[in-house]
Amino acid sequence: RNVTADESKKVLRMDEQSLQPIADMVGLKSLDEASILHNLKLRYNKDAIYTNVGRILVSINPFRMLPIYSPQVMDEYLDNGAREMDPHVYG
């Protein structure tokens, strides 16, 4: 669909970095509502339901079971340390 002139006035410029999912949103150059929501959507689409904002863990309900709560996953976080792994409640 084509964008009208009035609609184009509401469009926000987005940094290229925001086109890729980022595990810790503190690393975003622009930490605004649009960038946050877009990053969360990108990560959610990859079943990455946990995202950090500094030391804050953001979680999105996937509304289905994911294989991310097994004893093996917990051991990975214990062995490798949370800083080396993707954000997770085990981290």
Side-chain angles (χ1 to χ4, degrees):
R1 109 174 170 60
N2 292 330
V3 177
T4 67
D6 286 336
E7 289 173 327
S8 70
K9 292 176 186 174
K10 298 176 187 174
V11 173
L12 300 173
R13 181 174 292 271
M14 202 167 156
D15 186 72
E16 279 188 46
Q17 176 199 29
S18 298
L19 298 176
Q20 300 298 322
I22 297 175
D24 189 346
M25 292 191 286
V26 167
L28 288 172
K29 290 179 183 173
S30 176
L31 192 60
D32 56 25
E33 182 179 1
S35 296
I36 291 169
L37 292 175
H38 183 70
N39 187 59
L40 291 173
K41 181 180 179 184
L42 290 175
R43 291 185 52 78
Y44 178 85
N45 288 341
K46 293 181 161 211
D47 289 335
I49 62 166
Y50 294 111
T51 305
N52 285 333
V53 183
R55 295 181 61 184
I56 298 168
L57 182 66
V58 177
S59 175
I60 299 176
N61 188 342
F63 296 102
R64 60 191 170 90
M65 294 299 296
L66 296 176
I68 59 174
Y69 302 107
S70 68
Q72 293 84 7
V73 172
M74 183 183 281
D75 288 342
E76 282 184 56
Y77 278 85
L78 290 172
D79 294 342
N80 298 315
R83 293 178 192 227
E84 303 299 320
M85 307 280 295
D86 261 356
H88 195 285
V89 71
Y90 292 157

Coordinates of all heavy atoms in Angstrom, one line a residue:
R1 N 0.8 -1.2 0.0 CA 0.0 0.0 0.0 C 0.9 1.2 0.0 O 2.0 1.2 0.5 CB -1.0 -0.1 1.2 CG -0.8 0.8 2.3 CD -1.9 0.6 3.3 NE -1.8 1.2 4.6 CZ -1.7 2.5 4.9 NH1 -1.6 3.3 3.9 NH2 -1.7 2.9 6.1
N2 N 0.4 2.3 -0.6 CA 1.1 3.5 -0.6 C 0.9 4.3 0.7 O -0.2 4.3 1.3 CB 0.7 4.4 -1.8 CG 1.1 3.7 -3.1 OD1 2.1 3.1 -3.2 ND2 0.3 4.0 -4.1
V3 N 1.9 5.1 1.1 CA 1.8 5.9 2.3 C 1.4 7.3 1.8 O 2.0 7.9 0.9 CB 3.2 5.9 3.0 CG1 3.2 6.9 4.2 CG2 3.6 4.5 3.4
T4 N 0.5 7.9 2.6 CA 0.0 9.2 2.2 C 1.0 10.2 2.8 O 1.9 9.9 3.6 CB -1.4 9.5 2.8 OG1 -1.2 9.5 4.3 CG2 -2.4 8.5 2.4
A5 N 0.9 11.5 2.3 CA 1.8 12.5 2.8 C 1.6 12.7 4.3 O 2.6 12.9 5.0 CB 1.5 13.8 2.1
D6 N 0.4 12.7 4.8 CA 0.2 12.8 6.3 C 0.8 11.7 7.1 O 1.4 11.9 8.1 CB -1.3 12.9 6.6 CG -1.9 14.3 6.2 OD1 -1.1 15.2 6.1 OD2 -3.1 14.3 6.0
E7 N 0.7 10.4 6.5 CA 1.3 9.3 7.2 C 2.8 9.4 7.2 O 3.4 9.0 8.2 CB 0.8 8.0 6.5 CG -0.6 7.7 6.7 CD -1.1 6.5 5.9 OE1 -0.6 6.3 4.8 OE2 -2.0 5.7 6.4
S8 N 3.4 9.9 6.1 CA 4.8 9.9 6.0 C 5.4 10.9 7.0 O 6.6 10.8 7.4 CB 5.3 10.3 4.6 OG 4.9 11.6 4.3
K9 N 4.6 11.9 7.5 CA 5.1 12.8 8.5 C 5.3 12.1 9.9 O 6.0 12.6 10.7 CB 4.1 14.0 8.6 CG 4.1 14.9 7.4 CD 3.0 15.9 7.6 CE 2.9 16.7 6.3 NZ 1.8 17.7 6.4
K10 N 4.6 11.0 10.1 CA 4.7 10.3 11.3 C 5.7 9.2 11.3 O 6.0 8.6 12.4 CB 3.3 9.6 11.6 CG 2.2 10.6 11.8 CD 0.9 9.9 11.9 CE -0.3 10.9 11.9 NZ -1.6 10.2 12.0
V11 N 6.4 9.0 10.2 CA 7.4 7.9 10.1 C 8.7 8.4 10.8 O 9.1 9.5 10.6 CB 7.7 7.6 8.6 CG1 8.8 6.6 8.5 CG2 6.4 7.0 7.9
L12 N 9.2 7.5 11.6 CA 10.5 7.8 12.3 C 11.6 7.1 11.6 O 11.6 6.0 11.2 CB 10.4 7.3 13.7 CG 9.3 7.8 14.6 CD1 9.3 7.1 15.9 CD2 9.5 9.3 14.8
R13 N 12.8 7.9 11.5 CA 14.0 7.3 10.9 C 14.5 6.3 11.9 O 14.5 6.5 13.1 CB 15.0 8.4 10.7 CG 16.3 7.9 10.0 CD 17.2 9.0 9.7 NE 16.7 9.9 8.7 CZ 16.9 9.7 7.4 NH1 17.7 8.6 7.0 NH2 16.5 10.5 6.5
M14 N 15.0 5.2 11.3 CA 15.5 4.1 12.1 C 17.0 3.8 11.8 O 17.4 3.8 10.6 CB 14.7 2.8 11.8 CG 14.7 1.8 12.9 SD 13.4 0.6 12.5 CE 14.0 -0.7 13.3
D15 N 17.8 3.6 12.8 CA 19.2 3.3 12.6 C 19.3 1.9 12.1 O 18.6 1.0 12.4 CB 19.9 3.3 14.0 CG 21.4 3.2 13.9 OD1 22.0 4.1 13.4 OD2 21.9 2.1 14.2
E16 N 20.3 1.7 11.1 CA 20.5 0.4 10.5 C 20.7 -0.7 11.5 O 20.4 -1.9 11.3 CB 21.6 0.4 9.5 CG 21.2 1.0 8.2 CD 22.4 0.8 7.2 OE1 22.9 -0.2 7.1 OE2 22.6 1.8 6.5
Q17 N 21.4 -0.4 12.6 CA 21.7 -1.3 13.7 C 20.4 -2.0 14.2 O 20.4 -3.2 14.6 CB 22.5 -0.7 14.8 CG 22.7 -1.6 16.0 CD 23.0 -0.8 17.3 OE1 22.6 0.3 17.4 NE2 23.8 -1.4 18.1
S18 N 19.3 -1.3 14.2 CA 18.1 -1.7 14.7 C 17.4 -2.8 13.9 O 16.4 -3.4 14.2 CB 17.1 -0.6 15.0 OG 17.6 0.3 15.9
L19 N 18.0 -3.1 12.7 CA 17.4 -4.1 11.8 C 17.8 -5.5 12.2 O 17.2 -6.4 11.7 CB 17.8 -3.8 10.4 CG 17.4 -2.4 9.8 CD1 18.0 -2.2 8.4 CD2 15.9 -2.3 9.8
Q20 N 18.8 -5.6 13.1 CA 19.2 -6.9 13.5 C 18.8 -7.1 15.0 O 18.9 -6.1 15.8 CB 20.7 -7.1 13.4 CG 21.2 -7.0 12.0 CD 20.7 -8.0 11.1 OE1 20.5 -9.2 11.5 NE2 20.4 -7.7 9.9
P21 N 18.4 -8.3 15.4 CA 18.1 -8.5 16.8 C 19.3 -8.3 17.7 O 20.4 -8.8 17.4 CB 17.5 -9.9 16.9 CG 18.0 -10.6 15.7 CD 18.3 -9.5 14.6
I22 N 19.1 -7.6 18.9 CA 20.2 -7.4 19.8 C 19.7 -7.9 21.2 O 18.6 -7.6 21.7 CB 20.4 -5.9 19.9 CG1 20.9 -5.4 18.5 CG2 21.4 -5.5 21.0 CD1 21.1 -3.9 18.5
A23 N 20.6 -8.7 21.8 CA 20.3 -9.4 23.1 C 20.2 -8.4 24.2 O 19.4 -8.6 25.1 CB 21.3 -10.5 23.4
D24 N 21.0 -7.3 24.2 CA 21.0 -6.3 25.3 C 20.7 -5.0 24.6 O 21.6 -4.4 23.9 CB 22.3 -6.3 26.0 CG 22.2 -5.4 27.3 OD1 21.3 -4.6 27.4 OD2 23.1 -5.5 28.1
M25 N 19.5 -4.5 24.9 CA 19.1 -3.2 24.2 C 19.8 -2.0 24.6 O 19.7 -0.9 24.0 CB 17.6 -3.1 24.3 CG 16.8 -4.1 23.5 SD 15.1 -3.8 23.4 CE 14.5 -4.2 25.0
V26 N 20.7 -2.1 25.6 CA 21.5 -0.9 26.0 C 22.4 -0.6 24.8 O 22.8 0.5 24.6 CB 22.3 -1.2 27.3 CG1 23.4 -0.2 27.5 CG2 21.3 -1.2 28.5
G27 N 22.7 -1.6 24.0 CA 23.6 -1.4 22.9 C 22.9 -0.7 21.7 O 23.6 -0.4 20.7
L28 N 21.6 -0.5 21.7 CA 21.0 0.2 20.7 C 21.4 1.7 20.7 O 21.5 2.3 21.7 CB 19.4 0.2 20.8 CG 18.8 -1.2 20.5 CD1 17.3 -1.1 20.9 CD2 18.9 -1.6 19.1
K29 N 21.6 2.2 19.5 CA 22.0 3.7 19.4 C 20.8 4.6 19.8 O 21.0 5.6 20.4 CB 22.5 4.0 18.0 CG 23.8 3.4 17.7 CD 24.2 3.7 16.3 CE 25.5 3.0 16.0 NZ 25.9 3.1 14.6
S30 N 19.6 4.1 19.5 CA 18.4 4.9 19.8 C 17.5 4.0 20.6 O 16.9 3.0 20.1 CB 17.7 5.3 18.5 OG 16.5 6.0 18.8
L31 N 17.4 4.3 21.9 CA 16.6 3.5 22.8 C 15.2 4.1 23.0 O 14.9 4.7 24.0 CB 17.3 3.3 24.1 CG 16.7 2.2 25.0 CD1 16.7 0.8 24.4 CD2 17.4 2.2 26.4
D32 N 14.4 4.1 21.9 CA 13.1 4.7 21.9 C 12.0 3.6 21.8 O 12.4 2.4 21.6 CB 12.9 5.8 20.8 CG 13.2 5.2 19.4 OD1 13.1 4.0 19.2 OD2 13.6 6.1 18.6
E33 N 10.8 3.9 21.9 CA 9.7 2.9 21.9 C 9.7 2.1 20.6 O 9.6 0.9 20.7 CB 8.4 3.6 22.1 CG 7.2 2.7 22.1 CD 5.9 3.3 22.3 OE1 5.8 4.6 22.4 OE2 4.9 2.6 22.3
A34 N 9.9 2.7 19.5 CA 9.9 2.0 18.2 C 11.0 1.0 18.1 O 10.8 -0.1 17.7 CB 9.9 3.0 17.0
S35 N 12.2 1.4 18.5 CA 13.4 0.5 18.5 C 13.2 -0.6 19.4 O 13.6 -1.8 19.1 CB 14.7 1.3 18.8 OG 14.9 2.3 17.8
I36 N 12.7 -0.4 20.6 CA 12.5 -1.4 21.6 C 11.5 -2.4 21.1 O 11.8 -3.7 21.1 CB 12.1 -0.8 23.0 CG1 13.2 0.0 23.6 CG2 11.6 -1.9 23.9 CD1 12.8 0.8 24.8
L37 N 10.4 -2.0 20.6 CA 9.3 -2.9 20.2 C 9.8 -3.7 18.9 O 9.5 -4.9 18.8 CB 8.1 -2.1 19.9 CG 7.3 -1.5 21.1 CD1 6.2 -0.7 20.6 CD2 6.9 -2.6 22.0
H38 N 10.5 -3.0 18.0 CA 11.0 -3.7 16.8 C 12.0 -4.8 17.2 O 12.0 -5.9 16.7 CB 11.6 -2.7 15.9 CG 12.1 -3.4 14.6 ND1 11.2 -3.8 13.7 CD2 13.3 -3.6 14.1 CE1 11.9 -4.4 12.7 NE2 13.2 -4.2 12.9
N39 N 12.9 -4.5 18.1 CA 13.9 -5.5 18.6 C 13.3 -6.7 19.3 O 13.6 -7.8 19.0 CB 14.9 -4.8 19.5 CG 16.1 -5.8 19.8 OD1 16.8 -6.2 19.0 ND2 16.2 -6.1 21.1
L40 N 12.3 -6.4 20.1 CA 11.6 -7.5 20.8 C 10.9 -8.3 19.8 O 10.8 -9.6 20.0 CB 10.6 -6.9 21.8 CG 11.2 -6.2 23.1 CD1 10.2 -5.6 23.9 CD2 12.0 -7.3 23.9
K41 N 10.3 -7.8 18.8 CA 9.6 -8.5 17.8 C 10.6 -9.4 17.0 O 10.3 -10.6 16.7 CB 8.8 -7.6 16.8 CG 8.1 -8.4 15.7 CD 7.3 -7.4 14.8 CE 6.6 -8.2 13.7 NZ 6.0 -7.4 12.7
L42 N 11.7 -8.9 16.6 CA 12.7 -9.6 15.9 C 13.2 -10.8 16.7 O 13.3 -12.0 16.2 CB 13.9 -8.8 15.5 CG 13.7 -7.7 14.5 CD1 15.0 -6.9 14.4 CD2 13.4 -8.3 13.1
R43 N 13.4 -10.6 18.0 CA 13.9 -11.7 18.9 C 12.8 -12.7 19.1 O 13.0 -13.9 19.1 CB 14.4 -11.1 20.2 CG 15.7 -10.3 20.0 CD 16.4 -9.9 21.2 NE 16.5 -10.9 22.2 CZ 17.5 -11.8 22.2 NH1 18.4 -11.9 21.2 NH2 17.6 -12.7 23.2
Y44 N 11.5 -12.2 19.3 CA 10.4 -13.1 19.5 C 10.2 -14.0 18.3 O 9.9 -15.2 18.5 CB 9.1 -12.3 19.8 CG 7.9 -13.1 19.9 CD1 7.5 -13.6 21.2 CD2 7.0 -13.3 18.8 CE1 6.4 -14.4 21.3 CE2 5.9 -14.1 19.0 CZ 5.6 -14.6 20.2 OH 4.4 -15.3 20.4
N45 N 10.4 -13.5 17.1 CA 10.2 -14.3 15.9 C 11.3 -15.4 15.8 O 11.1 -16.3 15.0 CB 10.3 -13.4 14.6 CG 9.0 -12.6 14.5 OD1 8.0 -12.8 15.1 ND2 9.1 -11.5 13.7
K46 N 12.4 -15.3 16.5 CA 13.4 -16.3 16.6 C 13.3 -17.1 17.8 O 14.3 -17.8 18.2 CB 14.8 -15.6 16.5 CG 15.1 -14.9 15.2 CD 16.5 -14.3 15.2 CE 16.9 -14.1 13.8 NZ 18.3 -14.2 13.6
D47 N 12.2 -17.1 18.5 CA 12.0 -17.8 19.8 C 12.9 -17.3 20.9 O 13.2 -18.1 21.8 CB 12.0 -19.3 19.6 CG 10.9 -19.8 18.9 OD1 9.8 -19.2 18.9 OD2 11.0 -20.9 18.3
A48 N 13.5 -16.1 20.8 CA 14.3 -15.6 21.8 C 13.4 -14.7 22.7 O 13.3 -13.5 22.4 CB 15.5 -14.8 21.2
I49 N 12.8 -15.3 23.7 CA 11.8 -14.6 24.4 C 12.3 -13.7 25.5 O 11.6 -13.0 26.2 CB 10.7 -15.5 25.0 CG1 11.3 -16.5 25.9 CG2 10.0 -16.2 23.8 CD1 10.3 -17.3 26.8
Y50 N 13.6 -13.9 25.8 CA 14.3 -13.1 26.9 C 15.2 -12.0 26.2 O 16.0 -12.4 25.3 CB 15.1 -13.9 27.8 CG 14.2 -14.9 28.7 CD1 14.2 -16.2 28.5 CD2 13.4 -14.3 29.6 CE1 13.5 -17.1 29.2 CE2 12.6 -15.2 30.4 CZ 12.6 -16.6 30.2 OH 11.8 -17.4 30.9
T51 N 15.2 -10.8 26.7 CA 16.0 -9.7 26.2 C 16.4 -8.9 27.4 O 15.6 -8.6 28.3 CB 15.3 -8.9 25.2 OG1 14.8 -9.7 24.1 CG2 16.2 -7.8 24.6
N52 N 17.7 -8.5 27.4 CA 18.1 -7.6 28.5 C 18.1 -6.1 28.1 O 18.2 -5.8 26.9 CB 19.6 -7.9 28.8 CG 19.8 -9.2 29.6 OD1 18.9 -9.6 30.3 ND2 20.9 -9.8 29.4
V53 N 17.8 -5.3 29.1 CA 18.0 -3.9 29.0 C 19.0 -3.6 30.2 O 18.5 -3.3 31.3 CB 16.7 -3.1 29.1 CG1 17.0 -1.6 28.9 CG2 15.7 -3.5 28.1
G54 N 20.2 -3.7 30.0 CA 21.2 -3.6 31.1 C 21.0 -4.8 31.9 O 21.1 -5.9 31.5
R55 N 20.7 -4.6 33.2 CA 20.5 -5.7 34.2 C 19.1 -6.1 34.3 O 18.7 -7.0 35.1 CB 21.0 -5.2 35.5 CG 22.6 -5.0 35.5 CD 23.1 -4.6 36.8 NE 22.9 -5.7 37.8 CZ 23.2 -5.6 39.1 NH1 23.7 -4.5 39.5 NH2 22.9 -6.6 39.9
I56 N 18.2 -5.5 33.5 CA 16.8 -5.8 33.5 C 16.5 -6.9 32.5 O 16.9 -6.7 31.3 CB 15.9 -4.6 33.3 CG1 16.1 -3.5 34.4 CG2 14.4 -4.9 33.2 CD1 15.6 -2.2 34.0
L57 N 15.8 -7.9 32.9 CA 15.4 -9.0 31.9 C 14.0 -8.8 31.5 O 13.0 -8.7 32.3 CB 15.6 -10.3 32.6 CG 15.2 -11.5 31.7 CD1 16.3 -11.7 30.6 CD2 15.3 -12.8 32.5
V58 N 13.8 -8.6 30.2 CA 12.4 -8.5 29.6 C 12.0 -9.9 29.1 O 12.8 -10.5 28.4 CB 12.4 -7.5 28.5 CG1 11.0 -7.4 27.8 CG2 12.9 -6.1 29.0
S59 N 10.8 -10.3 29.4 CA 10.3 -11.6 28.9 C 9.0 -11.4 28.2 O 8.2 -10.6 28.6 CB 10.1 -12.5 30.1 OG 9.5 -13.7 29.7
I60 N 8.9 -12.1 27.1 CA 7.7 -12.1 26.3 C 7.1 -13.5 26.3 O 7.8 -14.5 26.0 CB 7.9 -11.6 24.8 CG1 8.5 -10.2 24.8 CG2 6.6 -11.7 24.0 CD1 8.9 -9.7 23.5
N61 N 5.8 -13.6 26.6 CA 5.1 -14.9 26.7 C 5.0 -15.5 25.3 O 4.4 -14.9 24.4 CB 3.8 -14.8 27.3 CG 3.1 -16.1 27.6 OD1 3.5 -17.1 27.1 ND2 2.1 -16.1 28.5
P62 N 5.6 -16.7 25.0 CA 5.5 -17.2 23.7 C 4.2 -18.0 23.4 O 3.9 -18.4 22.3 CB 6.7 -18.2 23.6 CG 6.8 -18.7 25.1 CD 6.5 -17.4 25.9
F63 N 3.4 -18.2 24.5 CA 2.1 -18.9 24.4 C 2.3 -20.3 23.8 O 1.4 -20.8 23.1 CB 1.1 -18.1 23.5 CG 0.7 -16.8 24.2 CD1 1.3 -15.6 23.7 CD2 -0.1 -16.7 25.3 CE1 1.0 -14.4 24.3 CE2 -0.4 -15.5 25.9 CZ 0.1 -14.3 25.4
R64 N 3.4 -20.9 24.1 CA 3.7 -22.3 23.7 C 4.9 -22.7 24.5 O 5.7 -21.9 25.0 CB 3.9 -22.5 22.2 CG 5.0 -21.7 21.6 CD 4.9 -21.8 20.1 NE 5.9 -20.9 19.5 CZ 7.1 -21.2 19.2 NH1 7.5 -22.4 19.4 NH2 7.9 -20.3 18.7
M65 N 5.1 -24.0 24.5 CA 6.3 -24.5 25.2 C 7.5 -24.4 24.3 O 7.5 -24.7 23.1 CB 6.1 -26.0 25.5 CG 5.0 -26.3 26.5 SD 5.3 -25.5 28.1 CE 6.7 -26.3 28.7
L66 N 8.6 -24.0 24.9 CA 9.9 -23.9 24.3 C 10.9 -24.7 25.0 O 10.8 -24.8 26.2 CB 10.4 -22.4 24.2 CG 9.6 -21.4 23.4 CD1 10.2 -20.0 23.6 CD2 9.5 -21.8 22.0
P67 N 11.9 -25.3 24.3 CA 12.8 -26.2 24.9 C 14.0 -25.5 25.6 O 15.1 -25.8 25.3 CB 13.3 -27.1 23.8 CG 13.2 -26.2 22.6 CD 12.0 -25.3 22.8
I68 N 13.6 -24.5 26.4 CA 14.7 -23.7 27.0 C 14.8 -23.8 28.5 O 15.5 -23.0 29.2 CB 14.5 -22.2 26.6 CG1 13.1 -21.7 27.1 CG2 14.6 -22.0 25.1 CD1 12.9 -20.2 26.8
Y69 N 14.1 -24.8 29.1 CA 14.1 -24.9 30.6 C 14.6 -26.3 31.0 O 14.3 -26.7 32.1 CB 12.7 -24.6 31.1 CG 12.2 -23.3 30.8 CD1 11.2 -23.1 29.8 CD2 12.7 -22.1 31.3 CE1 10.7 -21.9 29.5 CE2 12.3 -20.9 31.0 CZ 11.3 -20.8 30.1 OH 10.8 -19.5 29.7
S70 N 15.3 -26.9 30.2 CA 15.8 -28.3 30.5 C 17.0 -28.2 31.4 O 17.7 -27.2 31.6 CB 16.2 -29.0 29.2 OG 17.3 -28.4 28.7
P71 N 17.3 -29.3 32.1 CA 18.5 -29.3 32.9 C 19.8 -29.1 32.1 O 20.7 -28.5 32.6 CB 18.5 -30.8 33.5 CG 17.1 -31.2 33.5 CD 16.5 -30.5 32.3
Q72 N 19.8 -29.5 30.9 CA 21.0 -29.2 30.0 C 21.2 -27.7 29.8 O 22.3 -27.2 29.8 CB 20.8 -29.9 28.6 CG 20.8 -31.4 28.7 CD 19.5 -32.0 29.1 OE1 18.5 -31.3 29.1 NE2 19.4 -33.3 29.3
V73 N 20.1 -27.0 29.6 CA 20.2 -25.6 29.4 C 20.7 -24.9 30.7 O 21.5 -24.0 30.6 CB 18.8 -25.0 28.9 CG1 18.9 -23.4 28.9 CG2 18.5 -25.5 27.5
M74 N 20.2 -25.3 31.8 CA 20.6 -24.8 33.1 C 22.1 -25.0 33.3 O 22.8 -24.1 33.7 CB 19.8 -25.4 34.2 CG 20.2 -24.8 35.6 SD 19.3 -25.5 37.0 CE 17.7 -24.7 36.8
D75 N 22.5 -26.2 32.9 CA 24.0 -26.6 33.1 C 24.8 -25.7 32.2 O 25.9 -25.3 32.6 CB 24.2 -28.0 32.7 CG 23.7 -29.0 33.8 OD1 23.5 -28.5 35.0 OD2 23.5 -30.2 33.5
E76 N 24.3 -25.4 31.0 CA 25.1 -24.5 30.1 C 25.3 -23.1 30.7 O 26.4 -22.5 30.6 CB 24.3 -24.3 28.7 CG 24.5 -25.4 27.8 CD 23.8 -25.1 26.5 OE1 24.1 -24.1 25.8 OE2 22.9 -25.9 26.1
Y77 N 24.3 -22.6 31.3 CA 24.4 -21.3 32.0 C 25.3 -21.4 33.2 O 26.0 -20.4 33.5 CB 23.0 -20.7 32.4 CG 22.3 -20.1 31.2 CD1 21.6 -20.8 30.3 CD2 22.5 -18.7 30.9 CE1 21.0 -20.2 29.1 CE2 21.9 -18.1 29.8 CZ 21.2 -18.9 28.9 OH 20.7 -18.3 27.8
L78 N 25.3 -22.5 33.9 CA 26.2 -22.6 35.1 C 27.6 -22.8 34.6 O 28.5 -22.2 35.2 CB 25.7 -23.8 35.9 CG 24.4 -23.7 36.7 CD1 24.1 -25.0 37.3 CD2 24.5 -22.6 37.8
D79 N 27.8 -23.5 33.5 CA 29.2 -23.7 33.1 C 29.8 -22.5 32.4 O 31.0 -22.3 32.5 CB 29.2 -24.9 32.1 CG 28.9 -26.3 32.8 OD1 28.9 -26.3 34.0 OD2 28.5 -27.2 32.1
N80 N 29.0 -21.8 31.5 CA 29.5 -20.8 30.7 C 29.4 -19.4 31.3 O 30.0 -18.4 30.8 CB 28.8 -20.8 29.3 CG 29.1 -22.1 28.6 OD1 30.2 -22.6 28.6 ND2 28.1 -22.7 28.0
G81 N 28.5 -19.2 32.3 CA 28.3 -17.9 32.8 C 27.3 -17.1 32.0 O 27.2 -17.2 30.7
A82 N 26.4 -16.4 32.6 CA 25.3 -15.7 31.9 C 25.8 -14.6 30.9 O 25.2 -14.4 29.9 CB 24.4 -15.0 32.9
R83 N 27.0 -14.0 31.2 CA 27.5 -13.0 30.2 C 27.9 -13.5 28.9 O 27.9 -12.8 27.9 CB 28.7 -12.3 30.9 CG 28.3 -11.5 32.1 CD 29.4 -10.8 32.7 NE 29.0 -10.3 34.0 CZ 29.3 -9.1 34.4 NH1 30.0 -8.3 33.7 NH2 28.9 -8.7 35.6
E84 N 28.2 -14.8 28.8 CA 28.6 -15.4 27.6 C 27.4 -16.0 26.8 O 27.6 -16.5 25.7 CB 29.6 -16.5 27.8 CG 30.9 -16.1 28.6 CD 31.6 -15.0 27.8 OE1 31.7 -15.1 26.6 OE2 32.1 -14.0 28.5
M85 N 26.2 -16.0 27.4 CA 25.1 -16.7 26.8 C 24.0 -15.6 26.5 O 24.1 -14.5 27.0 CB 24.5 -17.7 27.8 CG 25.5 -18.7 28.4 SD 25.8 -20.0 27.3 CE 24.2 -20.8 27.2
D86 N 23.0 -16.1 25.7 CA 21.8 -15.2 25.5 C 21.1 -14.9 26.8 O 21.2 -15.8 27.7 CB 20.9 -15.9 24.5 CG 21.1 -15.4 23.1 OD1 21.9 -14.5 22.9 OD2 20.4 -15.9 22.2
P87 N 20.4 -13.8 26.8 CA 19.6 -13.6 28.1 C 18.6 -14.7 28.4 O 18.0 -15.3 27.5 CB 18.8 -12.3 27.7 CG 19.6 -11.7 26.6 CD 20.2 -12.8 25.9
H88 N 18.5 -15.0 29.6 CA 17.6 -16.1 30.1 C 17.3 -15.9 31.6 O 18.1 -15.3 32.3 CB 18.3 -17.5 29.8 CG 17.5 -18.7 29.9 ND1 17.0 -19.2 31.1 CD2 17.0 -19.5 28.9 CE1 16.2 -20.2 30.9 NE2 16.2 -20.4 29.5
V89 N 16.2 -16.5 32.0 CA 15.9 -16.4 33.4 C 17.0 -17.2 34.2 O 17.2 -16.8 35.4 CB 14.5 -17.0 33.7 CG1 14.4 -18.5 33.5 CG2 13.9 -16.6 35.0
Y90 N 17.7 -18.1 33.7 CA 18.7 -18.8 34.4 C 20.0 -18.0 34.5 O 20.9 -18.3 35.3 CB 19.2 -20.1 33.6 CG 18.1 -21.2 33.7 CD1 18.1 -22.2 32.7 CD2 17.1 -21.3 34.6 CE1 17.2 -23.2 32.7 CE2 16.2 -22.3 34.6 CZ 16.2 -23.2 33.6 OH 15.3 -24.2 33.6
G91 N 20.1 -16.9 33.7 CA 21.2 -16.0 33.8 C 21.2 -15.1 34.9 O 21.9 -14.4 35.4

